[in-house]
């Protein structure tokens, strides 16, 4: 298996633009997680899905952030409009063994200028 | 809410043992995890321990769990330069997602 796939790997955009991050989980995994990592705040769980249904989005910082999982093999995290403080590395992870044993993608480094 | 604490930095000499410590607050934890993050990469599961165990050994890695004190440690024997990374402790209570600490950056000096 190719592991969790994220695209793009790097994104540079201007403040106010819409940003869409994409994730393909490992085939057969039924849980998917979106995280954000910054030096200041560490690793934060934004939202997670189980069987394509959002279970807990309490970590989503603002209404500017939204996430969807239209099917078992694809998820998106959208930021609209983006702000410089959204600059971070965004990770997607998936799991088939409960919520603890997670497999992480390589991340998307987002820079908002 | 649940909190997981780790020291931020650790520096050791190549060949020595490294001990990375973690404390957690959730008394209903079922599994505790150690993840490793190398530069430019996502987190990778290293090992985990079930809460009714007090020790688990896996090659150079030894995990110790003191459930009474809610203290978890990861010992890396014969630390190598390739072990330089950020190590995250994670706490799972079954039906809730992992709560991660802020990570301990391990630097190995040759």
């Amino acid at each position: 298996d190719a592991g969790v796939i994220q695209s793009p790997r790097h994104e540079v955009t201007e403040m106010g633009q819409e940003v869409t991050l994409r994730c393909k989980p490992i085939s057969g995994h039924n849980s998917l997680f979106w995280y954000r990592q910054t030096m200041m705040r560490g690793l934060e769980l934004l939202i997670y899905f189980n069987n394509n249904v959002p279970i807990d989005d309490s970590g989503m910082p603002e209404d500017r952030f939204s996430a969807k999982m239209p099917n078992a093999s694809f998820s998106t995290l959208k930021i609209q409009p983006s702000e410089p403080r959204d600059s971070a590395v965004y990770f997607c992870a998936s799991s088939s063994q409960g919520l603890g044993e997670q497999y992480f993608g390589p991340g998307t480094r987002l820079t908002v200028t | 809410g649940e909190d997981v604490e780790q020291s931020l930095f650790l520096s050791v000499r190549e060949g020595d043992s490294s001990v990375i410590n973690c404390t957690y607050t959730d008394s209903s934890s079922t599994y505790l995890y150690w993840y490793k993050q190398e530069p430019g990469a996502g987190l990778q599961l290293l090992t985990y321990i079930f809460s009714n165990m007090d020790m688990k050994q896996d090659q150079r890695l030894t995990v110790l769990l003191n459930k009474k004190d809610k203290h978890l440690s990861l010992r890396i024997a014969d630390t190598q330069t390739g072990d330089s990374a950020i190590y995250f402790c994670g706490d799972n209570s079954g039906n809730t997602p992992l709560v991660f600490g802020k990570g301990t950056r391990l630097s190995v000096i040759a």
Side-chain angles (χ1 to χ4, degrees):
Chain A
D1 199 317
V4 175
I5 299 172
Q6 291 187 247
S7 64
R9 291 295 311 276
H10 302 273
E11 176 82 30
V12 180
T13 191
E14 291 184 348
M15 179 177 170
Q17 296 298 306
E18 177 179 296
V19 174
T20 299
L21 311 182
R22 297 173 175 77
C23 174
K24 176 177 167 53
I26 292 172
S27 177
H29 283 193
N30 60 349
S31 295
L32 183 139
F33 310 82
W34 282 102
Y35 290 90
R36 177 172 70 175
Q37 186 177 38
T38 61
M39 290 292 289
M40 290 295 294
R41 301 173 68 93
L43 193 66
E44 302 172 277
L45 176 65
L46 301 177
I47 184 171
Y48 79 96
F49 296 82
N50 194 45
N51 294 323
N52 312 339
V53 175
I55 303 300
D56 184 356
D57 66 353
S58 60
M60 297 284 261
E62 299 168 38
D63 291 345
R64 298 184 296 107
F65 286 69
S66 62
K68 293 183 180 178
M69 192 165 186
N71 58 61
S73 58
F74 183 66
S75 177
T76 59
L77 177 68
K78 188 175 291 188
I79 308 172
Q80 164 65 14
S82 58
E83 297 183 3
R85 59 192 167 122
D86 302 330
S87 297
V89 181
Y90 291 81
F91 289 104
C92 175
S94 69
S95 171
S96 66
Q97 300 290 335
L99 303 177
E101 199 171 321
Q102 298 178 18
Y103 292 80
F104 281 72
T108 295
R109 182 174 293 276
L110 173 65
T111 303
V112 183
T113 60
Chain B
E2 166 67 12
D3 195 23
V4 177
E5 297 282 342
Q6 300 178 241
S7 54
L8 295 182
F9 300 99
L10 177 65
S11 182
V12 299
R13 292 198 178 278
E14 191 175 20
D16 287 351
S17 291
S18 307
V19 180
I20 303 170
N21 294 302
C22 168
T23 58
Y24 59 97
T25 59
D26 188 353
S27 57
S28 62
S29 300
T30 49
Y31 288 93
L32 293 122
Y33 297 80
W34 285 105
Y35 281 76
K36 176 184 181 182
Q37 184 181 28
E38 295 182 353
L43 278 68
Q44 176 187 11
L45 177 63
L46 266 185
T47 187
Y48 63 90
I49 188 167
F50 189 49
S51 59
N52 69 352
M53 299 171 64
D54 52 21
M55 187 181 90
K56 179 179 179 181
Q57 185 144 7
D58 184 0
Q59 299 182 347
R60 292 191 297 120
L61 305 179
T62 303
V63 179
L64 295 178
L65 175 60
N66 181 328
K67 198 172 180 181
K68 174 176 167 290
D69 294 339
K70 298 191 182 70
H71 182 266
L72 181 75
S73 68
L74 173 69
R75 179 177 179 269
I76 306 172
D78 187 24
T79 312
Q80 302 297 307
T81 54
D83 295 322
S84 293
I86 303 174
Y87 291 81
F88 289 88
C89 169
D91 174 25
N92 176 229
S93 302
N95 291 329
T96 58
L98 272 176
V99 176
F100 284 105
K102 283 193 164 33
T104 299
R105 185 179 296 273
L106 173 65
S107 298
V108 182
I109 305 164

